Amino acid sequence: SDPSSTDMLIAAKTRDLLSSLERGDSNPSRPWGHYLDLLNYMGLERLPLEIHQLVLRKCVPPAGVIRAASAREHRARYYPNAPHAYENRLQTVMKNIRSAGWQAELDDYHFILEQFAAVGHYVGSRRVLQEMAFAEIEPRQKTYSLCLQALAHRLTLPCSDEQRPTLIEETTKTARELLRDMRTRKIPFTSVNMDLAIRILRETVDEKGFDDLIKFSYGIDLAYPDCLPLEVVEQQVASKIEVPEVQDSPLYPLQPLSTSGLNVIIDMLGRTGRISKMVQAFEVLSQPLPKPSQSPTSLLDEDEDDYSTNPPSSPELVYPLPFAPPNTTTFQFLIKHASRAGHTVFARHYLVQAMRLDREEDRRLKSGLRMLPVDEIAAPLLAVNRNMFLPVFGLSNREKHVELMRWTLRMINRTLRRKRKDLLWYTYKRMIRSPSPPAESSTAVPTSTSNSTSSPAPSTASSAQLSHLKTETSIFDLDLDSGHSHSTLPPRIFDINAHISLLQRDIEQLERLSSGVEAVLGRTIHRIKEWLGRRVWSEKDIWLAGEQARVPVTKEVWKDAVNF
């Protein structure tokens, strides 16, 4: 028998829908319109599950496109309850799948979570997890990674000052629930999950949660960073005596500490005002510690007489003591937090140490350019720049510490002289190696070659703005499928053009900073002279460094001494 007009209409609309799905239209509204049109005539029961799944992926823009559009429209600020513009479409397709008697697959939920993570829709991600539990679909490691990614991204998006406390409270609670669920379901913590969770807890300033996560992810007890946590040691001892219950591999294997992980620890301790812990963590974690069996010979010699037999040996550690080399961002955090807390000694010490390491890196680069091919020279980890001097200058200006301000100006000018010489040397070396350098190399300034993470903004920016600059792009650079973070990327190769561009940028910034510090120093000295002069004219005593006491001074002596 001939098909009816209704069947012919359904066949035509089916062809339109399949054509739009196969063609991959850039406009997601076209397949969505064909989908709704077909359902009006065909019904849910007759439409295969595969068509619903294709429509689910084609009715919304790609995650990268919608992330850019959401940021451009500031949806997180103006539409906090509906940050995803196409959430209703995703809900409708999933509802149609359930109504038709089908069961959505894990990849379908992962696609929705990826869409929500792109716009920081952490509330929607939590609802998806609840729906998966209701449908009895077991979440995987990637499921929780996408939920944590939505939380981390939401904290980088703009938020009103009135809503910020509520946002911090909700994200902290949600992060704790996700981590608790992972432990309950015995899902291993990978480096990606740890990276995202640490970012969230750092932004929410959850000290206890942060300390616990660092302990179980890297094996670092921030109270005693020079030894493994007691829980890890007990696990090792239990495996040594071959207890049957612990024969399997550890449930939460420790992750290797990277430079970015070290920076996160330093930044969190500095933000919470734990300066002594920050210094302790840096000194212990930035260099390899000797193994317990490698005790100094002198100490063993002193204790030989105390034992009738051989001294007890420490158990061999399954996990090595974690450490990571510092970079530019590490010292910027150290100097910034020490200066904000008013610790002049620490601020000066780490600035001097950064200048020394900068010279060591420069000598390594110059030696490599003389003796090695360019592709065998690693990019420098550290370079002194304006952001290291600015916090120390701010500290001296707040406290009107003239000697510290003079010292800062002297260090800035010393660094300027060195960088000018370095610029001439590298420019000459580039001219020898390649007689015709690219024209754009002298003006293009790359985002980073001397540090593995983005450089912090000047100290005038708030900590929230600083976090936005650092994490807005790197959150989505993590490979959620492999479970490895960006720290597994191969080391970067030295680029002489980028290095010259950074030297030019640093010289320009330091020249402006030097002029500003010199002007402020002169103005500060002038005001101090005026203040002390008023005390002299009022016949009050003043402190004289030569006398080491407060003594009265005549007007004539004061004029001759200060020329004012």
Side-chain angles (χ1 to χ4, degrees):
S1 61
D2 296 335
S4 63
S5 59
T6 303
D7 293 338
M8 295 176 60
L9 183 61
I10 291 176
K13 292 187 177 298
T14 303
R15 287 194 300 270
D16 292 339
L17 175 60
L18 294 177
S19 176
S20 64
L21 292 175
E22 294 175 356
R23 189 166 55 245
D25 292 326
S26 58
N27 183 11
S29 297
R30 185 173 291 110
W32 177 248
H34 291 312
Y35 173 72
L36 294 180
D37 201 14
L38 179 60
L39 287 180
N40 291 333
Y41 290 93
M42 189 176 184
L44 296 173
E45 295 78 7
R46 299 173 58 186
L47 196 62
L49 174 62
E50 291 76 10
I51 300 299
H52 290 288
Q53 293 174 331
L54 283 175
V55 172
L56 180 70
R57 289 157 176 77
K58 296 294 184 179
C59 69
V60 293
V65 175
I66 200 167
R67 180 169 71 246
S70 177
R72 186 169 56 249
E73 298 171 3
H74 300 286
R75 292 192 63 89
R77 174 184 286 273
Y78 299 114
Y79 306 98
N81 298 324
H84 197 288
Y86 301 94
E87 182 178 0
N88 290 334
R89 295 184 181 181
L90 299 174
Q91 292 176 348
T92 301
V93 175
M94 296 299 289
K95 181 181 177 181
N96 291 340
I97 292 176
R98 292 192 301 269
S99 300
W102 301 105
Q103 175 66 55
E105 298 177 355
L106 181 62
D107 288 341
D108 301 329
Y109 289 105
H110 282 176
F111 176 79
I112 298 176
L113 288 175
E114 184 180 357
Q115 288 282 320
F116 287 168
V119 297
H121 192 10
Y122 65 94
V123 177
S125 300
R126 190 59 179 160
R127 291 172 184 166
V128 171
L129 273 182
Q130 295 172 354
E131 184 177 332
M132 291 176 62
F134 179 78
E136 297 182 354
I137 295 180
E138 191 72 19
R140 298 289 186 267
Q141 166 203 317
K142 183 179 179 180
T143 311
Y144 288 98
S145 297
L146 289 168
C147 294
L148 292 171
Q149 195 177 57
L151 282 170
H153 184 48
R154 179 62 188 91
L155 291 171
T156 67
L157 297 174
C159 178
S160 61
D161 295 337
E162 295 79 9
Q163 296 295 327
R164 189 74 184 177
T166 304
L167 175 63
I168 295 298
E169 181 181 356
E170 291 179 352
T171 51
T172 303
K173 179 182 177 181
T174 305
R176 288 176 177 175
E177 291 176 354
L178 292 174
L179 296 177
R180 191 184 307 115
D181 289 347
M182 292 181 67
R183 291 193 179 99
T184 303
R185 297 179 181 273
K186 297 183 180 181
I187 296 178
F189 290 88
T190 62
S191 60
V192 171
N193 289 336
M194 290 301 176
D195 190 308
L196 293 170
I198 288 172
R199 292 171 191 262
I200 296 167
L201 296 177
R202 181 186 60 180
E203 293 297 328
T204 57
V205 199
D206 183 6
E207 296 184 25
K208 185 179 183 304
F210 182 84
D211 293 352
D212 291 342
L213 192 60
I214 291 295
K215 179 187 297 184
F216 289 106
S217 59
Y218 296 120
I220 299 173
D221 188 354
L222 293 178
Y224 306 98
D226 58 341
C227 58
L228 292 175
L230 183 60
E231 294 83 355
V232 177
V233 176
E234 289 178 348
Q235 189 179 35
Q236 294 179 16
V237 173
S239 62
K240 284 288 184 180
I241 62 177
E242 298 183 355
V243 178
E245 289 78 10
V246 295
Q247 284 301 305
D248 297 333
S249 60
L251 180 60
Y252 307 120
L254 299 182
Q255 303 297 327
L257 181 65
S258 61
T259 301
S260 60
L262 173 65
N263 293 340
V264 168
I265 294 173
I266 297 299
D267 186 28
M268 180 63 179
L269 294 176
R271 286 189 185 192
T272 55
R274 296 182 284 177
I275 302 301
S276 60
K277 292 291 183 183
M278 179 188 74
V279 173
Q280 182 187 38
F282 171 77
E283 297 297 339
V284 173
L285 301 177
S286 62
Q287 53 189 343
L289 294 177
K291 296 181 180 179
S293 58
Q294 297 175 348
S295 302
T297 307
S298 59
L299 295 180
L300 294 179
D301 293 341
E302 293 176 1
D303 295 339
E304 277 183 356
D305 298 335
D306 296 338
Y307 298 95
S308 57
T309 59
N310 293 331
S313 60
S314 302
E316 184 180 355
L317 297 178
V318 177
Y319 297 112
L321 295 174
F323 77 96
N327 64 357
T328 302
T329 306
T330 311
F331 282 94
Q332 286 175 347
F333 283 147
L334 287 168
I335 298 170
K336 181 185 72 173
H337 293 306
S339 300
R340 288 184 176 179
H343 289 275
T344 305
V345 175
F346 286 148
R348 287 185 53 162
H349 168 74
Y350 286 119
L351 181 55
V352 171
Q353 185 175 352
M355 295 175 65
R356 178 178 60 82
L357 294 177
D358 174 80
R359 289 298 91 198
E360 292 179 1
E361 285 287 277
D362 181 70
R363 285 192 291 270
R364 179 184 66 83
L365 291 177
K366 291 179 179 178
S367 175
L369 287 174
R370 293 189 188 100
M371 303 171 58
L372 299 174
V374 178
D375 55 357
E376 295 183 9
I377 305 174
L381 279 175
L382 188 141
V384 176
N385 56 29
R386 170 182 177 269
N387 292 331
M388 293 186 184
F389 292 104
L390 202 57
V392 184
F393 168 61
L395 173 62
S396 64
N397 191 27
R398 288 193 303 271
E399 297 183 355
K400 304 305 176 187
H401 197 323
V402 176
E403 290 302 321
L404 180 60
M405 197 177 298
R406 280 201 184 104
W407 179 85
T408 305
L409 179 60
R410 191 163 61 250
M411 294 301 104
I412 293 174
N413 292 333
R414 179 182 299 178
T415 304
L416 263 175
R417 290 193 298 269
R418 290 173 174 175
K419 286 187 177 291
R420 290 188 182 116
K421 293 180 180 178
D422 293 342
L423 179 60
L424 293 175
W425 193 92
Y426 287 106
T427 304
Y428 174 72
K429 205 68 178 179
R430 181 180 64 178
M431 184 176 60
I432 294 177
R433 284 178 171 260
S434 87
S436 57
E440 66 274 11
S441 63
S442 61
T443 57
V445 178
T447 56
S448 174
T449 59
S450 59
N451 49 348
S452 60
T453 57
S454 301
S455 300
S459 59
T460 54
S462 64
S463 60
Q465 293 170 338
L466 171 62
S467 169
H468 299 168
L469 293 174
K470 290 189 300 181
T471 61
E472 184 175 4
T473 56
S474 59
I475 286 175
F476 297 98
D477 292 337
L478 303 177
D479 188 358
L480 304 185
D481 294 315
S482 67
H484 296 290
S485 64
H486 54 274
S487 60
T488 60
L489 294 176
R492 290 171 295 116
I493 304 301
F494 175 68
D495 184 354
I496 191 170
N497 295 322
H499 191 68
I500 290 175
S501 299
L502 284 175
L503 283 174
Q504 293 171 341
R505 183 200 65 180
D506 290 342
I507 290 173
E508 181 182 354
Q509 292 180 349
L510 289 175
E511 285 175 346
R512 292 199 301 265
L513 181 61
S514 176
S515 301
V517 172
E518 189 173 1
V520 173
L521 176 61
R523 185 169 64 248
T524 303
I525 293 176
H526 184 80
R527 289 177 177 175
I528 291 177
K529 287 182 178 181
E530 287 182 340
W531 174 62
L532 293 177
R534 288 193 294 269
R535 291 186 61 87
V536 171
W537 256 250
S538 300
E539 298 181 353
K540 298 179 180 179
D541 56 357
I542 61 174
W543 174 268
L544 295 181
E547 301 291 338
Q548 289 294 308
R550 302 183 67 90
V551 296
V553 177
T554 62
K555 299 178 182 179
E556 290 73 16
V557 173
W558 175 254
K559 290 179 181 178
D560 295 338
V562 301
N563 193 24
F564 182 74

